[in-house]
Amino acid sequence: MSDYEHVTTDAAVATYETAIEVFKALLKEVRELSKKKPDATLSANKVKLVNAVLTDILTFLENEPEGKYLSPLEDEELPQVSDALMMMVQFEAGLAAFNNRYRKYISYGAFDGEHHWITEEQLATWNDADAEFEEEDDQDGS
């Protein structure tokens, strides 16, 4: 299996996959609120809910190039809806970059024609499969 420039972990992918749909739903709601009342202040409960998801996302995005621009919403001085939306859109961009960086279309052996996350664990599985194939090929050629 060829080397990949960007490799993540199964744990980061699991967190991504757990958080992405909840994040999208929250972002949709904040966008709707922003259309109606962009200057309104988010309630403490809404900030707490959004921050729970953002904090999970930060566990894997904080070390990505986009991570330096990301932070949870301010909960001491509650943000306006438009400010919350701006921060969440930055997270959306970070999530898209993560997906594009680590999820690749594979044209290789049994994995041909499928998208896979490029993780340390997945690469180890592919390397083990390659080693088994080569071992079988060597035994057949003896």
Side-chain angles (χ1 to χ4, degrees):
M1 196 75 208
S2 63
D3 293 324
Y4 289 90
E5 181 180 358
H6 302 289
V7 179
T8 189
T9 64
D10 282 351
V13 170
T15 304
Y16 171 94
E17 290 179 339
T18 300
I20 189 70
E21 293 305 318
V22 176
F23 173 79
K24 286 179 182 178
L26 287 172
L27 180 57
K28 181 180 177 184
E29 289 301 315
V30 172
R31 279 190 169 123
E32 288 300 315
L33 279 172
S34 181
K35 289 177 186 174
K36 295 174 186 172
K37 298 180 180 180
D39 295 335
T41 301
L42 281 181
S43 70
N45 284 336
K46 285 184 177 107
V47 170
K48 184 177 177 182
L49 178 62
V50 170
N51 276 346
V53 176
L54 297 184
T55 300
D56 277 355
I57 293 169
L58 277 171
T59 63
F60 63 90
L61 283 187
E62 66 187 349
N63 294 322
E64 297 295 322
E66 304 79 15
K68 65 183 175 182
Y69 304 111
L70 305 176
S71 64
L73 301 177
E74 182 62 48
D75 58 359
E76 290 180 24
E77 190 176 315
L78 298 174
Q80 290 183 333
V81 173
S82 60
D83 293 337
L85 178 60
M86 184 177 293
M87 181 57 72
M88 292 179 75
V89 167
Q90 289 176 312
F91 272 85
E92 181 182 40
L95 289 165
F98 182 87
N99 184 53
N100 291 335
R101 188 174 292 124
Y102 298 113
R103 194 161 188 265
K104 300 294 180 193
Y105 183 81
I106 303 300
S107 296
Y108 175 77
F111 308 104
D112 190 28
E114 298 178 11
H115 280 86
H116 289 275
W117 288 102
I118 307 304
T119 66
E120 296 166 359
E121 298 85 354
Q122 184 62 61
L123 291 177
T125 300
W126 288 337
N127 288 336
D128 290 347
D130 281 350
E132 280 183 34
F133 179 75
E134 287 174 11
E135 188 176 298
E136 289 174 11
D137 198 36
D138 287 346
Q139 290 175 358
D140 291 343
S142 314

